[in-house]
């Protein structure tokens, strides 16, 4: 069965990579960009860059308008209640570090922060370090056999001392939606704050943060076909108001004396210094592009491609999948083959996949592994990309076995 992508030509880098004999299947790490984004960046830089929220002049007004338009597009994309709930950061990692610092004063020794066993280092280390600083307990929810956060265990572990739950929506290693509604309900019953790492989840389908009901939702623009150096922190108003300011400098201040200052509320109070203006404008253009696509067709395409990937992997002897991937990606190891050797031979054949611990070392250790190969898909991939991957995989395995 062929699975063509009707959107492939919208991403000029795919053809460029093909001319370099490269097949790009590392989309969970970062994605290629649509022409609409490239045009928006060129337009901004070619027509007059200016700083935002500061200048009286016309270029400054244009830049500020475009910047704030992007904020409303992000708010719409997530169905946030108002645009003041969207704070721009430098990525998921910086958003989560902002939260771990900004919430610190709300916790007391002995309080419990709950994460899960599958978290990316970005949603583990900021909480781990906070727990160490404040003498809190970091509780780790285990996974079931399918690689989902175990709800029975969660019901035991989310308890009266739980002050915060921070979990991933879609694992970057296991490719499975996590049972967020149940987990968030358990945390809310304990009046705990809830943080959702949407770095992978936001890329697949539309997500409504109000329906989800979390306090905070974070993601990175570059994984959602947008520019890099930019992330989004959504927060409910009350949750944002509970944050401590974290970086100090231009634009975040209300009033300053030499010995004292007061600070603006969100969003600007959490966007100290010159933000990544072009990237914010570019993300707005990317969201316009994505919003124009037939969402059902994109979902059907991604599902068909994922089936193709899974069938191909399962048809080959000795391949062990990690968990039970539902969409977007699959991570695997091959019996008797070191993943670094396999990755090397795939790279030599122009296949761009990821090998290693995927920034989730404790998870890989739970599988008894130091690393795995991950193939991750985007809307511009097609079955021909996967055929090239499977051919290269067969050749590599023939050499290694
Ligand atoms: N969380 C998850 C689930 C991720 O996949 C990633 C990126 N691999 C991150 C967080 C961190 O994102 P960034 O590097 O863009 O800050």
């Amino acid at each position: 069965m062929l699975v063509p992508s009707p959107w492939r030509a919208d991403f000029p880098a795919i053809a460029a990579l093909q001319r370099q004999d490269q097949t790009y299947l590392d989309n969970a790490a970062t994605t290629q960009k649509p022409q609409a984004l490239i045009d928006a960046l060129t337009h901004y830089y070619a027509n007059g860059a200016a700083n935002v929220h500061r200048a009286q002049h016309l270029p400054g007004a244009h830049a500020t308008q475009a910047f704030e338009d992007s904020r409303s597009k992000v708010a719409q994309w997530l169905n946030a209640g108002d645009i003041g709930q969207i704070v721009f950061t430098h990525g998921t990692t910086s958003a989560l570090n902002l939260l771990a610092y900004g919430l610190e004063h709300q916790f007391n020794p002995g309080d419990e922060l709950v994460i899960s066993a599958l978290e990316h280092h970005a949603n583990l280390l900021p909480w781990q370090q906070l727990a160490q600083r404040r003498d809190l307990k970091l509780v780790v929810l285990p996974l079931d056999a399918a690689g989902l956060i175990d709800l029975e265990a969660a019901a035991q572990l989310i308890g009266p001392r739980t002050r915060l739950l921070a979990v991933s929506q879609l694992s970057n290693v296991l490719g499975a939606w996590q049972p967020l509604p149940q987990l968030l309900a358990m945390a809310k019953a304990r009046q705990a704050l809830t943080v959702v790492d949407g770095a992978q989840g936001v890329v697949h389908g539309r997500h409504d943060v109000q329906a989800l009901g979390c306090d905070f939702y974070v993601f990175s623009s570059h994984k959602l076909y947008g520019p890099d150096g930019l992330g989004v922190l959504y927060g409910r108003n009350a949750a944002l108001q509970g944050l401590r300011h974290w970086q100090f400098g231009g634009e975040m201040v209300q009033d300053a004396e030499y010995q004292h200052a007061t600070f603006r509320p969100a969003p600007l109070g959490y966007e100290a210094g010159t933000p990544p203006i072009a990237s914010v404008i570019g993300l707005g253009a990317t969201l316009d592009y994505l919003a124009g696509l037939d969402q059902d067709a994109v979902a059907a395409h991604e599902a068909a491609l994922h089936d193709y990937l899974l069938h191909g992997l399962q048809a080959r002897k000795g391949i062990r999948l990690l968990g039970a991937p539902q969409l977007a990606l699959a991570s695997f190891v091959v019996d008797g083959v070191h993943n670094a050797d396999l990755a090397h031979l795939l790279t030599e054949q122009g296949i761009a996949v990821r090998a290693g611990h995927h920034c989730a070392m404790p998870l890989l250790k739970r599988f008894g592994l130091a690393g795995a190969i991950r193939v991750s898909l985007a809307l511009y991939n097609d079955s021909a990309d996967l055929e090239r991957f499977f051919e290269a995989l067969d050749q590599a395995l023939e050499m290694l076995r």
Side-chain angles (χ1 to χ4, degrees):
M1 190 184 63
L2 288 180
V3 185
S5 166
W7 309 287
R8 203 165 167 89
D10 299 345
F11 294 80
I14 294 298
L17 285 165
Q18 227 162 335
R19 288 193 293 276
Q20 301 161 50
D21 282 330
Q22 293 298 310
T23 299
Y24 190 76
L25 293 165
D26 191 15
N27 297 287
T30 200
T31 48
Q32 305 306 324
K33 312 306 171 194
Q35 187 65 46
L37 158 59
I38 298 165
D39 291 345
L41 293 179
T42 306
H43 182 268
Y44 170 67
Y45 282 128
N47 284 279
N51 216 322
V52 290
H53 300 126
R54 294 156 168 77
Q56 312 298 318
H57 48 68
L58 193 69
H62 282 161
T64 303
Q65 183 69 49
F67 184 90
E68 289 303 322
D69 282 351
S70 281
R71 198 190 302 276
S72 13
K73 287 171 192 174
V74 173
Q76 270 172 33
W77 186 259
L78 296 177
N79 194 33
D82 68 74
I83 64 166
Q85 298 174 328
I86 302 299
V87 176
F88 289 120
T89 69
H90 293 285
T92 301
T93 303
S94 85
L96 290 165
N97 276 278
L98 184 169
L99 290 177
Y101 178 83
L103 295 169
E104 178 165 346
H105 64 290
Q106 297 193 27
F107 305 126
N108 295 308
D111 283 351
E112 295 179 359
L113 310 177
V114 179
I115 60 165
S116 85
L118 56 69
E119 299 309 319
H120 187 281
H121 294 161
N123 196 32
L124 158 64
L125 301 179
W127 307 117
Q128 176 198 86
Q129 296 300 305
L130 166 61
Q132 288 176 12
R133 283 198 303 277
R134 296 280 295 171
D135 204 13
L136 313 176
K137 188 171 167 201
L138 188 68
V139 175
V140 182
L141 302 178
L143 308 181
D144 66 16
L148 300 180
I149 298 171
D150 187 324
L151 288 173
E152 271 177 37
Q156 299 301 314
L157 292 167
I158 297 174
R161 304 252 26 201
T162 302
R163 299 296 315 282
L164 175 130
L165 171 77
V167 282
S168 168
Q169 185 177 26
L170 175 64
S171 161
N172 66 311
V173 179
L174 305 177
W177 292 116
Q178 296 305 316
L180 286 189
Q182 297 92 320
L183 290 167
L184 296 180
M186 288 179 203
K188 280 198 262 179
R190 302 291 185 178
Q191 275 90 45
L193 286 164
T194 52
V195 178
V196 174
D197 173 358
Q200 297 294 337
V202 76
V203 187
H204 305 283
R206 294 290 298 263
H207 301 286
D208 178 332
V209 286
Q210 293 189 74
L212 201 55
C214 52
D215 290 306
F216 298 105
Y217 185 93
V218 299
F219 74 89
S220 298
S221 151
H222 70 94
K223 292 188 201 275
L224 185 58
Y225 308 104
D228 48 29
L230 173 65
V232 168
L233 164 68
Y234 153 83
R236 281 196 318 111
N237 289 337
L240 285 172
Q241 280 155 18
L243 284 178
R244 189 164 65 145
H245 287 87
W246 81 309
Q247 286 185 335
F248 302 88
E251 273 319 293
M252 54 78 66
V253 77
Q254 211 139 41
D255 187 47
E257 306 282 343
Y258 284 113
Q259 302 298 340
H260 175 76
T262 53
F263 308 116
R264 293 169 113 165
L268 295 186
Y270 296 85
E271 295 176 0
T274 299
I277 301 166
S279 290
V280 169
I281 293 171
L283 176 60
T286 306
L287 292 181
D288 283 343
Y289 166 76
L290 292 174
L293 305 182
D294 175 343
Q295 306 300 321
D296 292 340
V298 172
H301 173 73
E302 291 189 346
L305 212 53
H306 192 253
D307 270 1
Y308 200 101
L309 171 62
L310 282 193
H311 281 122
L313 288 173
Q314 282 157 347
R316 284 164 172 82
K317 274 203 202 86
I319 289 190
R320 180 155 64 95
L321 284 171
L322 272 60
Q326 300 165 351
L327 77 160
L329 58 87
S331 300
F332 65 93
V333 289
V334 186
D335 293 340
V337 171
H338 196 289
N339 82 86
D341 295 337
L342 179 53
H344 177 72
L345 291 178
L346 291 173
T347 302
E348 280 202 331
Q349 296 177 81
I351 304 296
V353 293
R354 189 68 170 277
H357 54 66
H358 310 296
C359 301
M361 274 191 209
L363 174 63
L364 270 288
K365 287 179 193 164
R366 286 200 171 199
F367 281 100
L369 299 169
I373 306 272
R374 181 185 69 191
V375 179
S376 55
L377 308 167
L379 55 82
Y380 42 70
N381 286 125
D382 60 17
S383 48
D385 289 334
L386 289 177
E387 273 317 303
R388 280 193 290 278
F389 160 69
F390 284 125
E391 257 172 52
L393 178 65
D394 289 340
Q395 284 229 6
L397 291 181
E398 207 164 297
M399 289 175 73
L400 291 170
R401 276 170 167 164

